[in-house]
Amino acid sequence: LELRLYGNQLKSEKLAIIEPVICSMRDLRVLVLTKNDLGPASGKILCSLTMNFPNLIQFYVSYNPIGTKGLEDALPGLLKCTELKRLGLRGCNLDKNAGRLLSTILFNLRNLEQLELYLNHLGDEGIIAMCDSLIQAPKLEQFSVTKNDMGDKGGSQLAEVVKKSCSLKQIRLYYNNVTYITRQAFYKAAREREQKGLESINYAV
């Protein structure tokens, strides 16, 4: 069963009103709440929803300004979704402090295959906080941090992830504040993967 509420401008108030209706649905596997003007106050509602659907395999809350506070409030419910394969958090106004929360998600959701973080503000600090969990994520294949205010410090650490991850197939970091230092690090990391016999990776810097 899928529920796609894309671009309805629900806001937190309306989402709270329809929450019981959503929770009454059985066997919900895909929940899309993209572009609904959900702010930080929606975090607890998102927690309640995900608590109710531990068998979700896809959850998208992209282009909602939930912020790091909203993600933190939603975290207990998200961690119950152990079958989750795709998580969309594009344009959610996540800052550097969200890195530790995302690391927790990666560490606990061992079936995650795709994590979309395009258009946030994680910066070097937020990216670096995720790197160990990125390496250990056993099934993560696609990872995007395009437009995240990242510099060469974070970019170089992501190159180390590429070097060590056994599952990653695609990583995107377009439109960040990186230079040839990051590009060279990624080139070397991709070569080392080949030498180790790991699957080749598609990267875009």
Side-chain angles (χ1 to χ4, degrees), residues 166-179:
C166 294
S167 61
L168 268 179
K169 295 180 181 178
Q170 183 182 94
I171 184 167
R172 297 188 181 279
L173 48 151
Y174 288 122
Y175 305 112
N176 281 292
N177 305 317
V178 300
T179 68

Side-chain angles (χ1 to χ4, degrees), residues 4-203:
R4 299 179 183 270
L5 298 172
Y6 185 102
N8 287 283
Q9 299 300 307
L10 292 173
K11 298 188 177 181
S12 301
E13 297 81 2
K14 289 184 179 177
L15 183 61
I17 292 171
I18 66 171
E19 178 193 353
V21 178
I22 298 174
C23 288
S24 69
M25 298 178 179
R26 300 292 181 182
D27 302 319
L28 193 65
R29 302 283 276 169
V30 177
L31 179 57
V32 179
L33 296 171
T34 297
K35 282 190 176 180
N36 275 290
D37 201 17
L38 302 176
S42 66
K44 291 181 179 179
I45 307 170
L46 297 174
C47 178
S48 176
L49 286 171
T50 48
M51 280 276 194
N52 198 65
F53 300 115
N55 296 322
L56 279 179
I57 58 172
Q58 296 182 33
F59 182 51
Y60 298 97
V61 69
S62 294
Y63 303 113
N64 289 293
I66 64 170
T68 299
K69 179 63 169 64
L71 180 61
E72 185 171 24
D73 287 343
L75 190 63
L78 274 173
L79 296 183
K80 296 291 185 181
C81 301
T82 55
E83 294 184 31
L84 199 67
K85 294 182 178 182
R86 296 184 179 183
L87 177 59
L89 293 167
R90 292 185 174 200
C92 285
N93 201 28
L94 304 177
D95 63 19
K96 63 182 181 180
N97 296 312
R100 61 180 177 82
L101 305 175
L102 294 164
S103 178
T104 300
I105 289 171
L106 285 162
F107 184 78
N108 285 276
L109 302 186
R110 310 301 280 175
N111 288 303
L112 200 63
E113 297 175 358
Q114 181 185 71
L115 178 58
E116 287 283 349
L117 296 171
Y118 172 90
L119 197 59
N120 283 292
H121 309 284
L122 295 172
D124 287 334
E125 187 175 335
I127 296 295
I128 291 170
M130 301 173 61
C131 284
D132 285 344
S133 293
L134 284 168
I135 292 170
Q136 296 175 45
K139 296 184 179 180
L140 189 69
E141 296 181 356
Q142 298 179 352
F143 178 63
S144 173
V145 282
T146 293
K147 285 191 176 182
N148 262 278
D149 306 327
M150 181 183 65
D152 285 324
K153 190 174 180 180
S156 296
Q157 288 298 307
L158 282 181
E160 288 298 308
V161 171
V162 167
K163 190 187 300 182
K164 297 175 182 178
S165 169
C166 294
S167 61
L168 268 179
K169 295 180 181 178
Q170 183 182 94
I171 184 167
R172 297 188 181 279
L173 48 151
Y174 288 122
Y175 305 112
N176 281 292
N177 305 317
V178 300
T179 68
Y180 75 93
I181 294 173
T182 294
R183 295 185 180 92
Q184 189 175 46
F186 264 79
Y187 175 76
K188 289 181 178 179
R191 290 291 299 273
E192 286 196 32
R193 282 181 70 90
E194 292 178 8
Q195 292 169 2
K196 291 179 181 178
L198 296 175
E199 186 170 352
S200 61
I201 188 164
N202 177 9
Y203 64 93

